[in-house]
Amino acid sequence: VRTRTAGAARTAKSRAEGATTLPAGNTALLLLAVLAVPCVVASVMWPIASIVITAAFVVLTRALWMSHYLVRNRAEGWLRAVVRTVTFPFALSGALVSAAVWPGTPVAVAAAGALWITGGGQIDTAAWWHQPAPVTAAAVVFGMLCGGITGREIERVGARLPDLRREGLRALAVLGGFVALCAAAVRAIALLL
């Protein structure tokens, strides 16, 4: 009887936890695929959108795990949901500040280097975001580095938070790099045709 009660409590806890976190497994991949389509379209039309999308996904990923960290010791599922909802704006602003420092600063420097190299050794400061090929290359560098660094951070954080759904967070973290790569592929195919 005690085993059934403990099992039922764990099931209820995981259901309550699942209501306030990213989905896992195939559901997460399906959700992220649906998100990727409009992001790729926006990135093809405006290459600078790839950088903005990647930055937004990195900040959102950090905010979600910070929010999870804040409620990790709460026993009741409804209490976790309420605390997470109330504190999410604070987690989002904290994630924005921390992501601007790491990985934001070094990744922005690497992306600026890629922009400078693909722009022929010069950057037109007046309208650099209107140069599709250099901005796309910079977006790929930005997206891949952000995804890699954030993915490693998720693994490190996940070791301390065993109930954190890492699959969904990992997929969300690398989505920006995937969007940038898809936009670069579409642009390359358009140039060849």
Side-chain angles (χ1 to χ4, degrees):
V1 175
R2 181 178 286 178
T3 306
R4 278 190 215 165
T5 306
R10 277 194 303 270
T11 303
K13 181 179 179 183
S14 67
R15 281 187 189 144
E17 187 72 25
T20 59
T21 60
L22 278 176
N26 293 335
T27 309
L29 292 178
L30 181 63
L31 174 68
L32 295 170
V34 169
L35 282 175
V37 172
C39 291
V40 170
V41 171
S43 298
V44 169
M45 291 172 33
W46 305 288
I48 195 69
S50 293
I51 294 173
V52 174
I53 289 165
T54 299
F57 285 140
V58 167
V59 169
L60 183 60
T61 302
R62 282 176 173 261
L64 287 172
W65 93 54
M66 285 180 179
S67 177
H68 181 88
Y69 183 79
L70 290 172
V71 299
R72 71 193 182 283
N73 294 326
R74 307 274 185 233
E76 299 293 327
W78 65 270
L79 183 59
R80 281 195 306 271
V82 168
V83 171
R84 186 173 283 163
T85 302
V86 169
T87 60
F88 189 76
F90 302 106
L92 191 61
S93 58
L96 182 61
V97 170
S98 67
V101 175
W102 179 262
T105 302
V107 170
V109 169
L115 181 72
W116 183 75
I117 290 169
T118 55
Q122 60 185 5
I123 298 175
D124 180 13
T125 55
W128 62 268
W129 56 88
H130 292 299
Q131 301 172 349
V135 172
T136 300
V140 169
V141 169
F142 189 87
M144 299 306 289
L145 289 176
C146 276
I149 291 171
T150 308
R152 288 181 60 95
E153 287 180 332
I154 290 167
E155 289 305 314
R156 193 180 74 243
V157 168
R160 287 179 279 174
L161 301 172
D163 55 338
L164 181 68
R165 292 192 175 177
R166 289 182 267 181
E167 301 87 13
L169 283 177
R170 229 182 280 121
L172 189 62
V174 300
L175 186 57
F178 175 73
V179 166
L181 280 175
C182 288
V186 169
R187 191 165 296 283
I189 290 169
L191 287 174
L192 291 175
L193 297 177

